[in-house]
Structure formats: C-alpha cells, structure tokens
Amino acid sequence: AQSVAQPEDQVNVAEGNPLTVKCTYSVSGNPYLFWYVQYPNRGLQFLLKYITGDNLVKGSYGFEAEFNKSQTSFHLKKPSALVSDSALYFCAVRDKDTGRRALTFGSGTRLQVQP
Amino acid sequence: DTAVSQTPKYLVTQMGNDKSIKCEQNLGHDTMYWYKQDSKKFLKIMFSYNNKELIINETVPNRFSPKSPDKAHLNLHINSLELGDSAVYFCASSQDLVHRADTQYFGPGTRLTVL
C-alpha cells in the first residue's frame, strides 16, 4: 500500500520569508515523489519530482524539495515566499517496485503568503 | 495550446439525470486518468486507461462509465446522478505506464453540481 500525509492543513508565512510545506510518505518499495500546486479554480500544475539520485530536487518557480529516506519525508521549500505562491499544494507518491499504477495524493496544504 | 482540455468547465444538473464529461489531450500520451476532488479538496483516482484499455478501476460505482474512443480522448459518463457526485472531476494524462516516474498533466477540471 502507498500513502501520503500532509500534516498541516494551512501554512502561513510572510512575504520574503522562507517557506516549508511538509510531506511524509509510506510505500512498500522505493518511492517516486511529486509536488503539484493548485491555484483557485484551476487544475493541478506540476512543480517537481524525485526519481533517484540527488536528494535535493529543484523545480518550477524557485521551489525545491528534499528527499529524506530515513524520515520518509519530501518537504517542499522555497527560500523567499511571494504573495503569488498562495495556493493549495499537493504531495503525491507512486511506488517504484509494485504494480500500483496510480498516484496517491496527500490531503493538500493551503499556503497563505501575507504581504 | 492547451495540453489537457475538459468540457464542460461547469455542469449543473438535477438528481437522476445522465451526464458526460469529455477530456482530450494533445501531448501524444498513452495513458489517461480521471480523478475526483471532493469538497475537502481530497483527490482520488477513479479510472485509468492505457491505449484505450481500462487498467485502473478504483471501486467506483457502476453508474460511472469511462469510454476511450482513442488514446487522445477519455470521456466520463455518469448515470442516475446523485447528490454525492457533486465534486470537481479532473482528467490527466502521462506518457505511459512503463515509466512510473512519468509526470501526470492535469486538465482544468469540471465542477459538477447535482441539485
């Protein structure tokens, strides 16, 4: 079985400050991990993914995420938040080694960046 | 050019009616998906087709019937609509199933409201 937990329903941060959106996962084998962002009344947009190799993954709009196998985490980060980053963020996982073919998404974290 | 498109964007209908949502992708992908996002923003896979063949059916009621006339299209037909079917339905596509690290690209969503 595969699952994802996003422990925070909402994260508030001031513009210019660093932000972190947390994600932990559970898979039987090794994970492929993804972050998506959803702006109001829009579809999901792909931000970044971890496949293998370097634990620090860089993605769109200045976002990055760090894969930590021992903590089974894949937290999303950005050094300096923008008001326009305010949106709903989803972490997702897919097991590399099993037959499970669909992505499993977390429950989402709403990021609010205050000016 | 829109990569994954869905029609209609909004659908308001009465209980008991039958309705369809259409999805098209122009990315040349082999695999397409339907996801349901409920009022709490939780995303769950419903179906997946690979080259017109159904490969995922996640305990969705029989009232939901996907149809894939070709690999660029995946339509969702819903019979005897119920209040609980109200949600946002997202179509997505990815290159193929062999490469499990493939990114899924999402359409803009169809907001279905059943009265």
Side-chain angles (χ1 to χ4, degrees):
Chain A
Q2 57 190 41
S3 65
V4 176
Q6 293 182 242
E8 302 154 317
D9 288 340
Q10 180 154 328
V11 169
N12 298 310
V13 65
E15 188 174 30
N17 283 359
L19 68 88
T20 298
V21 182
K22 295 180 180 176
C23 171
T24 58
Y25 67 90
S26 174
V27 293
S28 305
N30 292 297
Y32 292 127
L33 292 155
F34 301 79
W35 274 103
Y36 284 84
V37 59
Q38 184 178 21
Y39 296 100
N41 300 314
R42 303 282 296 276
L44 278 74
Q45 295 179 30
F46 169 73
L47 277 179
L48 51 82
K49 65 182 177 184
Y50 170 79
I51 303 173
T52 188
D54 194 348
N55 289 342
L56 185 64
V57 179
K58 292 189 185 297
S60 306
Y61 312 121
F63 284 93
E64 58 190 28
E66 186 163 12
F67 172 63
N68 187 318
K69 189 170 184 177
S70 62
Q71 296 185 6
T72 62
S73 67
F74 190 56
H75 301 331
L76 182 70
K77 300 182 180 188
K78 188 173 181 181
S80 178
L82 299 172
V83 172
S84 57
D85 292 330
S86 298
L88 187 58
Y89 290 80
F90 289 95
C91 182
V93 69
R94 194 178 193 185
D95 193 323
K96 279 186 191 179
D97 305 316
T98 70
R100 176 76 179 165
R101 295 172 173 179
L103 283 176
T104 297
F105 284 86
S107 53
T109 298
R110 189 166 299 282
L111 174 66
Q112 193 69 42
V113 181
Q114 282 113 12
Chain B
D1 284 345
T2 304
V4 182
S5 59
Q6 296 178 228
T7 53
K9 189 168 183 180
Y10 300 97
L11 186 52
V12 181
T13 188
Q14 300 286 332
M15 275 176 52
N17 284 352
D18 304 338
K19 290 293 178 186
S20 292
I21 307 171
K22 295 186 177 181
C23 178
E24 176 180 2
Q25 54 95 1
N26 62 6
L27 298 166
H29 288 166
D30 286 344
T31 307
M32 296 184 73
Y33 310 80
W34 278 110
Y35 286 86
K36 179 180 180 180
Q37 186 176 45
D38 63 23
S39 58
K40 295 185 178 179
K41 304 297 184 184
F42 187 67
L43 265 168
K44 190 171 180 185
I45 182 75
M46 299 173 68
F47 300 103
S48 179
Y49 270 71
N50 188 59
N51 254 324
K52 303 194 295 176
E53 180 186 351
L54 179 66
I55 48 150
I56 296 176
N57 183 342
E58 291 282 318
T59 60
V60 177
N62 291 338
R63 299 182 295 101
F64 290 78
S65 53
K67 289 205 170 34
S68 183
D70 56 61
K71 72 174 193 178
H73 295 83
L74 180 62
N75 303 323
L76 184 64
H77 187 77
I78 315 170
N79 290 326
S80 303
L81 278 155
E82 300 178 357
L83 292 176
D85 298 332
S86 295
V88 181
Y89 292 84
F90 287 102
C91 178
S93 73
S94 65
Q95 185 173 353
D96 58 46
L97 285 179
V98 173
H99 303 94
R100 291 184 185 161
D102 267 1
T103 300
Q104 291 184 21
Y105 294 91
F106 284 76
T110 296
R111 182 176 295 276
L112 171 65
T113 303
V114 182
L115 303 174

